[in-house]
């Protein structure tokens, strides 16, 4: 049976929480193509970061399916985490296939990592595009607030 028609759904934005582990993991399964890596550790980093990040779910069904996950992870803060090392290696390997790009990327990922955030953005294919501007605006606000808080802590 094939359904043709419109499905009405109200989406809401939520802070990621530990119960979202499997939903975020499902969204990020192909994050590094088909490479085996510490995806569980990566999802844990995303969910443990309480100041930056948003997940999108159906409004009245908060405990069910996840439709999007957006966050930013500071590469310096998490530099020793296995999953971050694997992501850096993956990116550098991909960049090595383009002349001159790998050295510039290595500089960003290593020497300038204090000022570099890894944007993590995965969403289901048919997510309404109207959700994207407020989703990214919220992310930029959260990053701004988090960096202000970090400065105050020093």
């Amino acid at each position: 049976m094939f359904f043709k028609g419109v499905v009405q759904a109200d989406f809401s934005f939520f802070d990621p929480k530990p119960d979202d582990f499997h939903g975020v993991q499902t969204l990020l399964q192909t994050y590094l193509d088909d490479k085996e890596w510490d995806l569980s550790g990566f999802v844990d980093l995303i969910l443990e970061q309480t100041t930056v990040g948003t997940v999108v779910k159906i409004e009245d069904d908060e405990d069910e399916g996840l439709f999007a996950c957006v966050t930013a992870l500071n590469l310096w803060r998490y530099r020793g985490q296995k999953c971050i090392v694997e992501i850096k290696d993956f990116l550098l390997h991909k960049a090595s296939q383009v002349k001159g790009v790998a050295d510039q990327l290595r500089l960003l990922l290593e020497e300038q990592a204090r000022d570099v955030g890894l944007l993590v953005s995965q969403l289901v294919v048919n997510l309404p595009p109207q959700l994207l501007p407020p989703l990214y605006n919220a992310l930029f606000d959260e990053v701004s607030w988090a960096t202000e808080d970090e400065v105050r802590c020093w």
Side-chain angles (χ1 to χ4, degrees), residues 56-143:
V56 177
K57 302 176 185 182
I58 300 272
E59 187 170 285
D60 294 326
D61 209 2
E62 186 179 336
D63 295 327
E64 288 304 313
L66 218 68
F67 291 89
C69 175
V70 175
T71 193
L73 298 169
N74 179 270
L75 293 180
W76 181 257
R77 170 177 282 168
Y78 301 112
R79 67 189 176 279
Q81 298 291 325
K82 179 182 178 190
C83 57
I84 297 299
V85 171
E86 291 173 327
I87 289 171
K88 288 180 185 179
D89 291 345
F90 176 83
L91 293 172
L92 288 168
H93 173 73
K94 291 288 186 180
S96 70
Q97 300 168 2
V98 181
K99 186 177 179 163
V101 173
D103 291 336
Q104 292 174 350
L105 183 60
R106 185 173 285 105
L107 182 68
L108 286 172
L109 297 179
E110 294 170 2
E111 294 175 32
Q112 298 175 356
R114 258 186 221 284
D115 301 320
V116 176
L118 175 67
L119 175 64
V120 180
S121 176
Q122 278 305 81
L123 42 109
V124 295
V125 174
N126 293 327
L127 189 74
Q130 302 90 323
L131 293 177
L132 297 179
L135 185 61
Y136 287 110
N137 286 339
L139 178 66
F140 289 120
D141 287 343
E142 290 172 348
V143 168

Side-chain angles (χ1 to χ4, degrees), residues 5-90:
V6 176
V7 175
Q8 189 68 30
D10 292 323
F11 294 97
S12 289
F13 298 174
F14 298 92
D15 291 333
K17 60 184 183 188
D19 292 347
D20 296 324
F21 182 88
H22 293 292
V24 173
Q25 187 176 39
T26 299
L27 281 174
L28 296 174
Q29 280 180 333
T30 58
Y31 194 68
L32 298 186
D33 298 337
D34 291 327
K35 180 180 176 6
E36 282 192 38
W37 66 295
D38 184 18
L39 176 58
S40 293
F42 190 56
V43 173
D44 285 339
L45 286 183
I46 291 169
L47 298 179
E48 289 169 5
Q49 180 175 260
T50 58
T51 56
V52 177
T54 302
V55 295
V56 177
K57 302 176 185 182
I58 300 272
E59 187 170 285
D60 294 326
D61 209 2
E62 186 179 336
D63 295 327
E64 288 304 313
L66 218 68
F67 291 89
C69 175
V70 175
T71 193
L73 298 169
N74 179 270
L75 293 180
W76 181 257
R77 170 177 282 168
Y78 301 112
R79 67 189 176 279
Q81 298 291 325
K82 179 182 178 190
C83 57
I84 297 299
V85 171
E86 291 173 327
I87 289 171
K88 288 180 185 179
D89 291 345
F90 176 83

